[in-house]
Amino acid sequence: MHPGPFRYHRAASLEEAAVMLQQLGEDARPLAGGQSLVPLMKLRLAGPTDLVDLAFVPGLSYVRHEDDGGEIRFGALTRHAEIADSGAAARFPILHDCAAGIGDVQVRNRGTIGGSVAEADPSGDWAPVLLTHVTEIRCVGPGGERTVALRDFILDAYTTALGPGELVREIVMRAPPHEDGERIGGAYIAAKRCAQVYATASAAVRLTLAGDVCRDVAIYLGAVALTPVEVTAAAEALRGRALTRETIEAAADAARSGGDPQPDMRGSAEYKCALATALVKRAIEIAARRARGEQVEVSHEYA
Amino acid sequence: MPERSDGVSISVTVNGRRHQAEIEARLLLVDFIRENLNLTGTHIGCDTSFCGACTVLLNGSSVKSCTVLAVHAAGGEVTTVEGLAKDGELHPIQQAFKDHYALQCGYCTPGLLMSTCHLLARNPNPTEKDIRKAIAGNCCRCTGYQNIYDAIADAAARVSAARAAGTHGGRAAASAEAR
Ligand SMILES: Cc1cc2nc3c(=O)[nH]c(=O)nc-3n(C[C@H](O)[C@H](O)[C@H](O)COP(=O)(O)OP(=O)(O)OC[C@H]3O[C@@H](n4cnc5c(N)ncnc54)[C@H](O)[C@@H]3O)c2cc1C
Ligand code: FES
Ligand code: FES
């Protein structure tokens, strides 16, 4: 198999790529690591007339984080593998949970965070993780730059707020506001059938603890709806309360009806809901241990 | 859709030899390697990004060459399984696979060897868990994997020994080290 014919344009900068894309029209697409687009083109599920190649644009592959740990910036072309190995991922283990579990080694060596966010696959791993923090997408288009909050960026399955010719330049993730002495912990667990496939269900949790009390929390499910789902009912079960077996179980229970999964080859709707419950429970427990300073290793679970 | 993909001129170093080629932009790296360069050691298994039989090193990192456009190798360095043996002497990773009966039909083997190169260049002392994770993107339908894990663990020791002695294979693969 090979992709259908297309015209190939190598961009030297994102600004140039944006102008090219606008001029070439709506059947032109940008290409980054190709780990979503190339398979789709081989299967003729995508047939762009033109590809504008971003892969050779310099200076877009980086993970920068300030020393106080406040803000992490990812260049759009940063590969999953680079993020997994970064200092930021050592500091924010939820990033490692995500980046080190996407696909397999070979996919992580090519696929980019910018491509993942732009693809907005309902089962993509990055979105639920980034949504538990304060995340913004810095975009560049033919008309200039703008910044969009991630929650306003993902509109539907495979649909983002990017306008014609508009591209992702940078992803900026911040810890949510917190007081001195409060501690933040996060965890992401995806259940997959094997390395090479997307998750059957996944859960991302970020806790802000004041002592033993959960002052603030964000809980997102992946792969169980057209976009990542925030389960506010689960968060409410924890907010303002001490983390105990009961409150954690109440939160996990509330996550059961959070998604609206479709039955498919990965499992029935009931199975996915039950899976989400179990994943939320485990992710809360691990996030809490991490907030208390414990090192806990997490990897994607194969079932 | 245009009739033909654009012709693109690329220069790629494969197993240390530089190649200049005019290719169609839609040509996949695996087809460039197999058809244009006639290096048929790199296999196509699933052709859908799953099995890892097509794994090669691109600029020192393992990739599935059925899911990479050849134009993305422009200006870069590719190592295929043919780049491992030197002067008729197997690379220690190959020798370990042979000694541990880590192959039966051998279809998956080139991809597994290249994934092992990627691993050992970054982690000279992998645990069994590291090894399992490192080859999660490579399917073998014959061996049941245990002999492959054993071979890779042994290959790690052999590569380290060769590195200490300065003999062939001391570098997990030429370009894997380059990065
Ligand atoms: C075998 C396999 C397993 C996988 N498993 C997982 C998994 O478990 N979890 C997961 O999350 N993902 C998985 N993926 C997908 C992988 O994460 C991709 O890397 C990612 O979806 C897309 O990144 P890319 O750089 O390859 O983008 P490309 O494929 O190049 O592009 C993807 C889309 O985004 C657009 N695009 C790319 N870059 C930009 C940009 N900067 N601005 C605007 N638009 C852009 C493209 O036009 C295209 O529509 C898997 C892929 C494969 C092949
Ligand atoms: S042939 Fe490339 S992954 Fe199977
Ligand atoms: S030896 Fe036959 S597929 Fe691995």
Side-chain angles (χ1 to χ4, degrees), chain B residues 44-47 49-54 64 66:
Chain B
I44 299 174
C46 65
D47 210 0
S49 326
F50 194 88
C51 73
C54 64
K64 290 177 173 169
C66 75

Side-chain angles (χ1 to χ4, degrees), chain B residues 107-123:
Chain B
Y107 205 85
C108 66
T109 312
L112 275 158
L113 293 170
M114 302 323 288
S115 286
T116 306
C117 286
H118 179 94
L119 169 70
L120 297 184
R122 286 156 185 78
N123 180 355

